[in-house]
């Protein structure tokens, strides 16, 4: 191909408070280059440099090294001279050497793709000048050692050749450390460093056959070409392919003057934040060290000092250091370099105002001169995220929509559950890891059996996995830990619903129920031992770790109100008890999208009647047991209707396979036989009879109501009698009865007829009526496909995306934990489809379901009640399908509210 040699700008300069480029030129200059240009343009002192454009990378790939150098030589030479002028040094000079850094920078950040070469320009002669100019031999030789190491690795390919091999330079360093009997890099003397440089160079020569160039220009071209090559390196190609970034984007190369914070007492380096990243408070803060390099601040060898006087005073109080000692030993930058501090203060204001976001900045002071090396939007906690967005809105820095879009919905979780004390968690020992199934922090004593949770005031229930039998124990425990199961295992779903901390699938746990021991890596823990769980990270800690209650700040409430003004989706909750319903209403739920009635049957007084019903040999026997259950269910529903005070409440008829309700342990089977005055054999044979090969595809859902209509009758009666009772107390009730697991129209209509007949009977008996709706879950793929037929008879649809995902993929919800992690690791799946809706597959069925349903009934009310209802990406998808509501666990309601507002804002922006 023909390369354009006509005048085309290929090199863009920045520095000295001006720049050829700006922030909008990401595609040409890469993210880093555009940002450096922007900073320089607005007057921030960045070390001067230049960016070779991404287009040159593409040209390089077509014409090769020599032709590329011809294309850019003149511009690069001029730019390098320019840098030298600003820095009062000269590239290639032995006496006053200008040192450079060379970095890649694609238009999007590609972590791990690119390498960096620092201290470029050093050679056997200039290292001596550097030592002389800085009066610091060790510094000069350490800089040279780092350069040879980086150049050797990045440009000359001195990298480990296999996973087993260690870095060739590290190997040499280890050898010398052993010889010298030292441990740390900082223990190397200048002579050691000289030796290292020599040994590194010899190693390069013997492995590559090439000599490390002494000529700075040869070094520079080598480094520039290495950055271009890295665009086609294995790591970059993998990353690009994964994200669908085209090969012709290319990477830019950024060349900058090196600045040093370790040149003596008048130099230093630090990191600072324009606001507090932990609390969001609008206070400038940060840490620095004099006579140090960037990595020293984070390495923890020396104690970094606070930048501001206020920060320093606060720090000293915590560290219990008297004021006089603080001032002399740990002064703030504000106190020891007031002029530089003032400059830094002004730049941080300027950068925050410019980027309209909290900034995380790196700076270096070289011989009293301040340089800003980098600025980026700072990472922050959930609390800080909310406070900063709302403060910036108030300050007029951002508008309402932007404040909403600034929120990472999932991070709100941190504000909704108890959290570990930051200091305590740092000291705690991690003993194993599992899946972060339900966020929050929990500390308690180990207990292995659900019916024994009450033994301890603070208990952590540790199980291989949980089943509905464990429900009460789970309720009582502070947290739940399971060795098996994934993010939608029973333990995970139930715990999230309860807002209870849970870690599932912690494979390293060996649990012995008999001896009541838990073994991790050969270490034994017994019943009663204290452990702590971080349900947000999946970390399991030994012992007690202090927790604190979450604080719902004023800004959090304001944010929620604001987002309600933008969202069009309504937010409901999945709640099975009045307490959950109330908690959800406090978080802003506008109704219940799913009450799983089966959960009510597990409480001690009810499970017996339920088992009696299941074990009954005749319809009459079943009816007798159901009559015992009726008042219990009715009072549950009354509580929920009252809590929801006029908001719609969707109650689902019995769904799980009956075998889940019968006891599987011999002792409980014996108890049951005695209670019911039947033989143990009879109990055992019924349990055996209920066993199924694929219970999830077996006798469950509406199949139960069709085979035992008396169950549907009892539940309908309980719902409508409760509604009439509550109505008589002057409270509005809006019941919605939902039929689960429908796959054919006939299944739905048969259940609907039972419900209607029962309703008429109840209304006749009470001489009163309530309006109610009869609808269906859409959770069997066939139901989505025949949605037009079903919509003719159903009054609402609710997508049960847990089962819909299970059946669309053919992945068992309870067994997927065995292979899903591997699928995710290997990239066979990009995300866990039980967590976030698979829009291509399951989503297509949903689109069909919504489309066909509304074709017949344009106003058909449609929602979602699977776990996905609380996942922000899924909420956005539901919004795009035009659903009426999403329903999620109580503790996810605020997340869904903000996600729905974001979805509405984005949709509007897309349409306009
Ligand atoms: C579903 O399948 O999405 C659902 C909400 O029901 P369950 O999780 O109870 O099967
Ligand atoms: Mg289901």
């Amino acid at each position: 191909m023909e390369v354009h040699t006509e005048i085309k700008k290929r090199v863009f300069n920045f520095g000295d408070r001006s720049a050829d480029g700006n922030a909008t030129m990401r595609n040409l200059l890469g993210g880093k280059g555009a940002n450096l240009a922007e900073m320089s343009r607005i007057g921030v002192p960045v070390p001067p440099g230049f960016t070779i454009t991404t287009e040159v990378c593409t040209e390089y790939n077509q014409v090769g090294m020599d032709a590329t150098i011809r294309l850019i030589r003149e511009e690069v030479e001029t730019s390098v001279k320019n840098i030298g002028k600003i820095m009062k040094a000269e590239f290639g000079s032995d006496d006053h050497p200008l040192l450079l850094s060379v970095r890649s920078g694609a238009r999007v950040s590609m972590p791990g793709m690119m390498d960096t070469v620092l201290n470029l320009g050093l050679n056997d002669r200039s290292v001596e000048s550097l030592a002389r100019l800085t009066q610091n031999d060790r510094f000069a030789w350490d800089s040279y050692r780092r350069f040879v190491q980086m150049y050797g690795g990045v440009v000359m390919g001195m990298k480990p050749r296999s996973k087993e091999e260690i870095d060739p330079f590290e190997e040499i360093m280890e050898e010398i450390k052993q010889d010298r009997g030292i441990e740390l890099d900082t223990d190397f003397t200048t002579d050691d460093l000289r030796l290292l440089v020599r040994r590194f160079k010899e190693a390069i020569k013997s492995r590559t056959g090439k000599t490390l160039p002494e000529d700075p220009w040869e070094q520079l071209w080598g480094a520039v070409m290495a950055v271009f090559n890295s665009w086609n390196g294995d790591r970059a190609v993998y990353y690009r392919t994964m994200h669908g970034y085209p090969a012709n984007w290319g990477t830019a190369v950024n060349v900058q003057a090196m600045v040093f914070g370790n040149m003596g007492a008048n130099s230093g380096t630090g990191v600072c934040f324009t606001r507090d990243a932990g609390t969001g408070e609008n206070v400038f803060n940060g840490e620095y060290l004099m006579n140090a390099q960037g990595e020293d601040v984070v390495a923890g060898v020396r104690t970094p000092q606070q930048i501001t006087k206020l920060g320093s005073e606060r720090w000293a109080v915590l560290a219990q250091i008297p004021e006089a000692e603080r001032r002399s030993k740990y002064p703030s930058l504000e106190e020891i370099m007031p002029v530089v501090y003032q400059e830094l203060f002004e730049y941080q204001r300027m950068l925050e105002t410019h980027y309209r976001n909290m900034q995380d900045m790196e700076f270096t002071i070289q011989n009293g001169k301040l340089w800003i090396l980098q600025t980026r939007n700072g990472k922050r906690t959930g609390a800080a995220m909310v406070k900063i967005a709302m403060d910036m809105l108030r300050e007029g820095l951002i508008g309402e929509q932007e404040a909403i879009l600034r929120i990472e919905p999932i991070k709100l979780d941190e504000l909704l559950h108890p959290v570990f004390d930051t200091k305590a968690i740092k000291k705690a020992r991690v003993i194993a890891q599992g899946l972060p199934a339900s966020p929050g922090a929990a500390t308690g004593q180990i207990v292995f059996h659900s019916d024994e949770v009450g033994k301890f005031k603070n208990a952590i229930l540790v199980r291989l996995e949980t089943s509905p039998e464990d429900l009460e124990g789970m309720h009582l425990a502070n947290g739940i830990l399971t060795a098996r199961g994934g993010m939608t295992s029973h333990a995970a779903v139930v715990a999230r619903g309860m807002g209870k901390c849970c870690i599932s699938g912690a494979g390293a746990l060996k649990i012995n129920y008999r001896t009541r021991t838990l073994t991790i890596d050969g270490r034994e823990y017994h019943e009663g031992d204290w452990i702590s769980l971080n349900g947000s990270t999946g970390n399991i800690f030994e012992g007690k770790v202090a927790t604190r209650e979450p604080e719902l700040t004023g800004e959090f409430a304001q944010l929620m109100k604001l987002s309600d003004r933008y969202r069009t989706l309504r937010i409901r909750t999945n709640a099975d008890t009045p307490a959950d319903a109330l908690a959800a209403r406090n978080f802003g739920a506008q109704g219940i999208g799913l009450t799983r009635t089966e959960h009510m049957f597990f409480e001690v007084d009810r499970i017996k009647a339920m088992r009696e019903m299941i074990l009954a040999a005749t319809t009459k026997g079943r009816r007798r047991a159901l009559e015992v259950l009726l008042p219990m269910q009715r009072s549950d529903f009354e509580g929920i209707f009252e809590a929801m005070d006029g908001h719609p409440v969707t109650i689902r008829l019995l769904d799980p396979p009956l075998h889940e309700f019968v006891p599987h342990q011999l002792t409980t089977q014996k108890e049951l036989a005695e209670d019911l005055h039947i033989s143990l054999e009879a109990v055992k044979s019924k349990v055996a009879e209920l066993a199924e090969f694929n219970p999830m595809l077996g006798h469950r859902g509406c199949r139960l109501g069709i085979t035992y209509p008396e169950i549907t009758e009892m539940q309908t009666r309980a719902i409508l009698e409760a509604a009439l009772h509550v109505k008589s107390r002057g409270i509005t009730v809006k019941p919605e009865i939902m039929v689960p697991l429908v796959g054919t129209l006939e299944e739905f209509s048969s259940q609907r007829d039972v419900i209607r007949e029962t309703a008429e009977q109840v209304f006749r008996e009470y001489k009163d009526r309530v309006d109610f709706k009869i609808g269906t879950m859409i959770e069997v793929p066939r139901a989505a496909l025949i949605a037009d037929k079903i919509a003719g008879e159903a009054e609402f649809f609710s997508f049960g995306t847990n089962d819909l995902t299970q059946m669309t993929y053919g992945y068992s919800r309870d067994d997927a934990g065995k292979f899903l992690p591997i699928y995710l690791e290997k990239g066979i799946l990009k995300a866990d489809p039980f967590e976030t809706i698979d829009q291509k597959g399951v989503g297509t069925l949903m689109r069909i379901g919504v489309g066909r349903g509304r074709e017949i009934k344009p106003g058909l009310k449609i929602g979602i009640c699977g776990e996905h209802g609380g996942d922000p990406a899924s909420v956005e998808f539901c919004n795009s399908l035009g659903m009426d509501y999403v329903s999620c666990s109580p503790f996810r309601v605020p997340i869904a509210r903000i996600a729905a507002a974001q979805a509405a804002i984005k949709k509007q922006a897309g349409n306009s």
Side-chain angles (χ1 to χ4, degrees), residues 235-262:
R235 272 185 296 164
V237 171
Y238 177 77
Y239 194 87
R240 273 171 20 209
T241 317
M242 201 163 82
H243 289 86
Y245 301 151
N248 66 4
W249 275 6
T251 177
V253 185
N254 296 296
V255 179
Q256 252 182 310
M258 286 295 303
V259 289
F260 296 97
N262 53 347

Side-chain angles (χ1 to χ4, degrees), residues 443-553:
T443 286
Q445 291 173 274
I446 297 175
V447 48
F448 295 98
H449 299 284
S450 298
D451 52 356
E452 295 175 6
V453 170
K455 265 186 184 175
F456 304 108
K457 190 160 168 273
N458 293 292
I460 300 283
L461 178 63
V462 181
R463 303 280 308 163
L464 282 173
E465 58 209 350
T466 63
S467 76
E469 271 184 87
D470 298 313
L471 213 71
E472 271 234 310
M474 293 170 76
H475 236 307
L476 290 174
N478 285 359
I480 298 129
L481 171 61
T482 70
R484 301 192 196 133
M487 296 292 282
T488 50
S489 62
H490 179 268
V493 173
V494 173
R496 276 200 292 277
M498 293 176 177
K500 190 140 294 203
C501 168
C502 172
I503 295 179
S504 62
L509 269 56
K510 305 270 171 305
I511 296 171
N512 189 329
Y513 287 139
R514 204 178 43 76
T515 57
R516 300 180 182 221
T517 48
L518 161 66
T519 314
I520 302 171
D521 278 346
R523 201 177 172 120
E524 238 176 53
Y525 298 86
H526 302 268
E527 183 178 273
D529 285 351
W530 285 84
I531 54 167
S532 302
L533 313 179
N534 186 342
S536 315
T537 61
N539 279 340
I540 305 158
F541 302 92
E542 200 169 34
K544 262 191 216 182
V545 181
T547 59
R548 62 177 172 81
E549 280 304 307
E551 287 158 23
L552 296 193
T553 61

Side-chain angles (χ1 to χ4, degrees), residues 194-209:
R194 282 178 204 271
L195 176 64
L196 276 175
V197 167
R198 189 162 51 84
R199 291 281 308 274
F200 283 180
K201 286 185 178 179
E202 284 166 7
I204 294 173
K205 177 84 190 165
S206 91
R207 184 156 129 189
T208 68

Side-chain angles (χ1 to χ4, degrees), residues 288-405:
Y288 79 102
L289 274 175
M290 292 311 284
N291 198 11
Q293 278 187 304
E295 59 215 53
D296 301 335
V297 179
V298 278
V301 183
R302 286 165 61 191
T303 311
Q305 289 157 237
Q306 298 298 307
I307 287 177
T308 65
K309 181 159 179 281
L310 179 72
S312 189
E313 285 164 355
R314 284 184 182 179
W315 169 83
V317 170
L318 290 175
Q320 298 183 323
I321 291 171
E323 175 59 13
E325 187 182 337
R326 177 198 75 76
R327 239 177 299 132
S328 65
K329 269 203 191 156
Y330 306 103
S332 64
L333 185 70
E334 188 174 2
E335 288 160 304
I336 56 162
M337 290 186 118
V339 178
V340 171
Y341 170 79
Q342 196 52 39
E343 247 187 286
L344 181 63
F345 184 84
E346 272 153 32
Y347 290 130
Q348 62 92 19
R349 281 284 94 205
M350 184 179 195
L351 284 167
E352 186 184 275
T353 313
H354 188 74
Y355 288 100
R356 300 180 308 120
N357 205 334
M358 188 261 270
Q359 297 297 295
D360 162 355
M361 304 157 53
E362 282 174 27
F363 66 90
T364 283
I365 305 161
Q366 178 174 305
N367 281 328
K369 161 121 187 77
L370 175 69
W371 297 100
I372 308 293
L373 302 187
Q374 177 170 304
T375 190
R376 57 183 168 198
N377 294 340
K379 294 216 179 332
R380 60 205 80 176
T381 63
M385 169 185 77
V386 172
K387 180 158 173 56
I388 291 172
M390 295 312 286
D391 279 354
M392 286 191 167
L393 171 63
R394 230 185 337 265
E395 291 159 21
L397 219 51
I398 55 176
E400 288 184 352
Q401 299 195 3
E402 192 158 5
I404 292 170
L405 292 172

Side-chain angles (χ1 to χ4, degrees), residues 594 596 598 652 655 696 700 740-741 777-780 799-804 806-807 813 865-866:
L594 173 64
R596 291 176 163 105
E598 57 270 18
R652 180 179 72 185
D655 181 50
M696 274 302 196
R700 60 170 288 222
L741 224 71
M777 294 201 62
I778 304 285
E779 53 183 344
V780 172
F799 281 91
T801 44
N802 300 336
D803 272 309
L804 193 60
Q806 168 168 262
M807 294 190 221
R813 283 159 72 176
C865 64

